[in-house]
Amino acid sequence: MRADELDFFSLVELRPNEGAIEFCGRRAILLHTDAMGALRKELVETLGAEAAKVVLTRYGFSCGHEDAGLLAAYMHPDTIEQFVRGGPRTHMFAGIAEVETRSVEIDCERRRYRMGGFWRRSYEAEQHLRLFGRSHEAVCWTLAGYASGFASFVFQTDMICIEHECEGSGAERCSWTLMNADDCTPELAELRKYFQPLNIKDQIDGLETKVFERTRELEASEQRYRNLIEDLPEIVFALHLSGRLVQLNKAGRTRLGIDEAELPSLRLKDLVLPEYRAQASSFLKHSAQQRSVARLDVVMSDSAGNPFPVQLQVEPVIKGDKIVGYSGLALDVTAQQERERKLTEYAARLENREQQIQDIINDAVYILDLDGRLSFVNTRMADLLGVPADRAIGRRCGEFMLHSSALRVERDFRRRLAGGPGLPFEIAIEAPGGANCLLEVSTAVLLTNGKAEGVIGVARDITARREMERQLAQANRLSSLGQFASGIAHEINNPLGLVSGFAEELQALMEAIPNAAQIPDLEIIRNGLTTIQEQAQRCKAITDNLLLFSRRQTPPIEPVDVALYVHERFASYRDVGLTRGLEITFDIEDRLPPVRTNPTLLDQVIQNLVKNARDAMNGAGRLRVELRSADDAVELGVLDEGPGLPAGVIDHVFDPFFTTKPPGRGTGLGLSICYGIMSELHGRITCGNRPEGGAWFRISLPYDEAGSEGAQR
């Protein structure tokens, strides 16, 4: 019979009701591959890989040798080649692997035989990968033994199967070669030992000797460990899996007043005060779940009944992936807690002191690290940036400052780190209220042990100083212009008086001429004289304004209910037609305190602002009047819907003779006079443009302190 004519069902007879399976007429059994894997694992872990390889190779050899004897009686092969090819067929029938025979070389005269092929889906490689992972050598020990045993029976000489590649070591398939044992090269001669009988008794005796020696070493090591634990000054304990005390060293027994005989009846929770027992129980469960060291702060009671704080440190003891108990320490943390308390108090005092210093110092302080990011800002700097201090840390200045200011800070930062000189510079920051804040910044390199760690800067708010300087410059300019205007007005008034007087006298003489009304030329002269007188009066009004502008006086000041005063004045303006064509709206805050001012001069300022607003809106539009309390003053605002103030005009609107009106419609003195009046009233006047269009003017009037206190009471 040929090997390819072998049929599985003709070789196997199944008698399930009798609990029997026959293979080639001899009883066989079915085994799970996982069971063979368990056997392999037990052999490797018990005897070692080398001994396990011998056992499994010899097992495979015996199976192959027996199968060959059975198959010879059943198959009656035509040739020896067909006989040896029957081995791979029975291998596949047994579910061991898929076998592909590559070549068969038979030299019966010289008794030299060679055979090669492949194994695929080897159950042995599959189990080894599952249990041990990828191997660095071939692992199909049983398959190689089977092929060797089958071939040895067929060829009646010692044959050895060598596995070159194996699925268990990462190859796609297992490749093997079967050859005469005598033909193995010296490098492969050691393979013979895997086919020799294994003396299990000697192996076991050797292992028992090693186990005995190792046990003695472990007992000695355990005794040294116990002696070491017993003499430690800290409280050391061991727990059973249930939480019962197994061991408590001498320091623990002495400190807690526990006799060694009491240990089996005590649990960890019995060592702590009652209020901590629930925590101690859950603490062990947490340690078991995490399978790592766990810590818990509790309070114990010593032998005298005095409580003392400890930190429990417990670690589960794991054997074979199972927790069998716990080992732990109880460290007395009384001294540590006292040190921490003192350090906390000291740090709190330092922090409070530093905070008080920062609150007192009005300067803003910041530190930039080497990457140009903020690493520290004090309270004042955080207020200027408009964010909490912790949110500013780690961010760049450009995220909070105007682009030009951020560039100026970064340029100084780079120059400082490069060793360049540091000169004070000014930047502008948009304050939380919306107005720009002007800062003068001085910087220095921050050094630690001579190494630069960044740049520290101190920014001082000079907005008020710049405003005072501007106001002082404005006052000086107005004073100089006032003296000049006073001289000009006096010089012009005299010739103007003569011109006006002679024009009036000429008009009187013309009225005395008989039939003057019938002479056309005289009418022309009369109109001309009238025009001369009108223009002279206009010049006289201008010089009067110049004198008013130049005059420095100390007007009488009195408390005024500004809300009532504004309503009365605007009612008067309506009666005389000053606000004709205008829609007036009021926005007046409740319970405004009285202000100190001069009603007459204040009326002059308000009239001027209303006239300017009316002219800006060409005599028609909405005028908004606001009254608000601000700091220690009341602000009166007049807001129009006109074209607003052109760019570059705001800084000059209070200069004498500066006007945006067409020629002949304004002298440019009205707002200058208002500015002077507000200075005399200890107030101020400001202006700007509204976002929705139009201009605003605000005057600030100081509180009447006595009146405001009475109003509050």
Side-chain angles (χ1 to χ4, degrees):
M1 178 185 293
R2 294 173 54 84
D4 55 7
E5 295 176 351
L6 286 174
D7 179 58
F8 173 78
F9 295 102
S10 63
L11 296 177
V12 178
E13 182 181 355
L14 303 177
R15 298 201 302 274
N17 293 332
E18 299 177 13
I21 300 174
E22 288 190 359
F23 180 75
C24 295
R26 182 175 295 183
R27 185 173 182 177
I29 61 174
L30 292 177
L31 287 176
H32 288 290
T33 57
D34 286 353
M36 294 300 295
L39 175 61
R40 169 182 290 254
K41 185 174 186 296
E42 192 71 25
L43 290 173
V44 170
E45 293 181 350
T46 304
L47 303 178
E50 288 294 311
K53 184 174 181 180
V54 172
V55 171
L56 293 177
T57 303
R58 292 289 301 170
Y59 164 74
F61 187 94
S62 298
C63 291
H65 202 276
E66 290 293 325
D67 283 356
L70 294 173
L71 195 63
Y74 181 85
M75 184 178 177
H76 302 294
D78 300 333
T79 63
I80 194 171
E81 180 179 349
Q82 291 299 322
F83 189 9
V84 77
R85 286 182 181 273
R89 293 286 292 175
T90 57
H91 232 175
M92 288 192 289
F93 290 164
I96 294 174
E98 176 189 352
V99 186
E100 176 186 343
T101 304
R102 184 177 56 191
S103 62
V104 178
E105 300 176 10
I106 300 176
D107 187 348
C108 294
E109 294 181 1
R110 300 174 55 207
R111 296 181 61 82
R112 288 289 178 266
Y113 311 100
R114 182 176 289 270
M115 188 174 180
F118 304 103
W119 294 321
R120 295 183 180 87
R121 293 184 290 279
S122 162
Y123 91 90
E124 203 165 7
E126 174 188 292
Q127 288 298 317
H128 194 93
L129 285 172
R130 180 178 70 85
L131 296 171
F132 304 105
R134 183 176 294 183
S135 174
H136 65 279
E137 61 180 15
V139 298
C140 296
W141 306 328
T142 306
L143 273 70
Y146 185 97
S148 302
F150 194 96
S152 296
F153 183 92
V154 172
F155 297 125
Q156 294 300 305
T157 186
D158 291 338
M159 303 292 292
I160 291 181
C161 181
I162 301 169
E163 188 177 13
H164 308 294
E165 295 179 318
C166 183
E167 293 175 351
S169 59
E172 294 184 2
R173 59 187 180 179
C174 303
S175 64
W176 52 269
T177 300
L178 184 68
M179 64 179 69
N180 291 79
D182 297 338
D183 292 343
C184 290
T185 61
E187 291 81 9
L188 301 176
E190 64 176 6
L191 292 175
R192 291 174 177 270
K193 67 181 181 181
Y194 297 113
F195 297 90
Q196 302 298 325
L198 179 65
N199 191 337
I200 299 295
K201 182 178 182 304
D202 291 343
Q203 294 285 335
I204 293 176
D205 290 343
L207 289 175
E208 286 181 348
T209 302
K210 291 181 179 180
V211 169
F212 178 73
E213 293 175 354
R214 185 59 178 161
T215 301
R216 291 184 60 185
E217 292 176 0
L218 289 175
E219 289 176 350
S221 176
E222 182 179 1
Q223 188 59 43
R224 289 194 299 270
Y225 166 76
R226 287 181 176 275
N227 294 338
L228 176 63
I229 296 299
E230 187 70 13
D231 296 335
L232 282 176
E234 291 81 11
I235 300 175
V236 184
F237 56 87
L239 302 174
H240 186 265
L241 181 61
S242 62
R244 290 183 291 102
L245 278 171
V246 176
Q247 181 184 5
L248 181 64
N249 69 341
K250 182 179 179 181
R253 297 193 301 271
T254 304
R255 184 75 184 273
L256 301 176
I258 296 176
D259 189 79
E260 193 169 4
E262 301 179 57
L263 295 182
S265 63
L266 297 177
R267 297 176 180 271
L268 177 63
K269 65 179 183 179
D270 298 325
L271 305 182
V272 302
L273 296 186
E275 56 266 31
Y276 294 95
R277 288 175 181 171
Q279 297 181 41
S281 298
S282 59
F283 168 65
L284 283 181
K285 295 178 182 178
H286 175 73
S287 177
Q289 292 172 355
Q290 299 297 322
R291 295 202 166 202
S292 61
V293 177
R295 293 174 174 82
L296 177 67
D297 291 331
V298 297
V299 177
M300 292 183 172
S301 178
D302 61 17
S303 58
N306 300 316
F308 63 97
V310 298
Q311 183 184 72
L312 293 179
Q313 298 182 4
V314 173
E315 182 177 12
V317 179
I318 301 175
K319 289 185 179 180
D321 200 36
K322 292 183 178 180
I323 299 176
V324 297
Y326 304 90
S327 61
L329 289 172
L331 300 177
D332 189 340
V333 293
T334 305
Q336 177 183 345
Q337 288 186 356
E338 181 63 19
R339 287 195 300 270
E340 290 177 354
R341 184 187 64 79
K342 291 182 178 179
L343 286 174
T344 301
E345 292 178 354
Y346 181 69
R349 288 198 302 271
L350 286 180
E351 183 178 359
N352 184 50
R353 188 175 303 167
E354 180 183 354
Q355 186 63 45
Q356 290 177 354
I357 293 173
Q358 289 182 5
D359 292 341
I360 293 174
I361 296 176
N362 194 40
D363 292 341
V365 181
Y366 68 88
I367 296 177
L368 297 175
D369 61 19
L370 294 177
D371 293 329
R373 298 180 181 274
L374 291 166
S375 61
F376 170 79
V377 292
N378 70 343
T379 304
R380 176 58 176 158
M381 190 68 192
D383 292 341
L384 290 174
L385 296 178
V387 295
D390 56 345
R391 289 183 55 192
I393 302 302
R395 300 168 70 179
R396 296 189 179 275
C397 296
E399 300 181 42
F400 310 104
M401 298 181 183
L402 301 173
H403 181 65
S404 58
S405 299
L407 289 178
R408 186 70 184 86
V409 172
E410 291 178 4
R411 188 162 58 247
D412 173 81
F413 170 77
R414 291 192 297 269
R415 184 177 67 248
R416 274 297 194 179
L417 291 183
L423 300 175
F425 59 92
E426 295 180 4
I427 60 174
I429 291 183
E430 186 175 357
N436 283 347
C437 182
L438 190 62
L439 303 177
E440 182 182 66
V441 183
S442 300
T443 61
V445 178
L446 184 64
L447 300 174
T448 300
N449 297 327
K451 183 179 179 181
E453 290 194 346
V455 172
I456 182 171
V458 178
R460 177 164 296 175
D461 189 350
I462 59 172
T463 307
R465 190 178 80 187
R466 284 287 185 267
E467 178 63 20
M468 292 178 62
E469 290 174 353
R470 188 191 66 78
Q471 292 181 7
L472 180 60
Q474 175 80 355
N476 290 335
R477 185 166 63 253
L478 293 179
S479 177
S480 299
L481 288 173
Q483 294 178 5
F484 174 75
S486 177
I488 293 295
H490 283 294
E491 292 297 328
I492 293 177
N493 273 342
N494 291 331
L496 280 178
L498 293 175
V499 170
S500 179
F502 278 115
E504 185 178 355
E505 186 175 348
L506 287 174
Q507 279 186 326
L509 291 174
M510 290 178 63
E511 294 296 331
I513 297 175
N515 301 321
Q518 300 176 0
I519 303 174
D521 292 339
L522 290 180
E523 183 63 26
I524 295 173
I525 295 173
R526 184 182 298 107
N527 291 337
L529 291 173
T530 301
T531 301
I532 290 173
Q533 282 191 315
E534 289 175 353
Q535 294 303 314
Q537 289 299 322
R538 184 169 180 271
C539 290
K540 181 66 168 57
I542 292 174
T543 57
D544 288 344
N545 281 335
L546 287 173
L547 290 173
L548 180 62
F549 169 72
S550 63
R551 185 180 302 122
R552 290 293 179 264
Q553 55 185 342
T554 304
I557 302 297
E558 60 182 270
V560 174
D561 185 338
V562 66
L564 180 60
Y565 177 83
V566 167
H567 279 299
E568 290 178 349
R569 297 318 304 151
F570 273 87
S572 173
Y573 300 157
R574 183 180 65 250
D575 294 340
V576 300
L578 179 61
T579 58
R580 184 180 297 113
L582 302 180
E583 179 185 346
I584 311 296
T585 61
F586 295 93
D587 185 2
I588 299 178
E589 187 177 307
D590 294 335
R591 299 177 61 83
L592 288 172
V595 299
R596 290 184 58 78
T597 187
N598 181 282
T600 302
L601 294 179
L602 179 59
D603 180 50
Q604 186 175 350
V605 173
I606 297 175
Q607 283 192 54
N608 204 307
L609 297 180
V610 172
K611 289 177 183 178
N612 285 346
R614 182 190 61 191
D615 293 343
M617 295 186 293
N618 296 322
R622 285 185 296 182
L623 187 69
R624 180 181 176 88
V625 180
E626 296 179 347
L627 274 177
R628 296 273 190 276
S629 59
D631 297 331
D632 294 333
V634 173
E635 286 188 350
L636 169 62
V638 177
L639 297 78
D640 62 54
E641 294 182 339
L645 299 170
V649 168
I650 294 178
D651 294 336
H652 301 285
V653 293
F654 299 115
D655 292 348
F657 308 110
F658 181 86
T659 180
T660 59
K661 296 178 181 179
R665 292 190 59 187
T667 62
L669 290 173
L671 289 176
S672 300
I673 293 172
C674 291
Y675 189 92
I677 291 175
M678 293 310 301
S679 297
E680 294 170 0
L681 296 177
H682 306 292
R684 57 191 179 91
I685 182 170
T686 55
C687 64
N689 285 321
R690 303 173 65 188
E692 61 269 29
W696 59 263
F697 283 82
R698 289 191 179 93
I699 57 176
S700 178
L701 303 168
Y703 285 165
D704 175 55
E705 296 181 0
S708 62
E709 291 177 0
Q712 292 175 1
R713 287 196 296 270

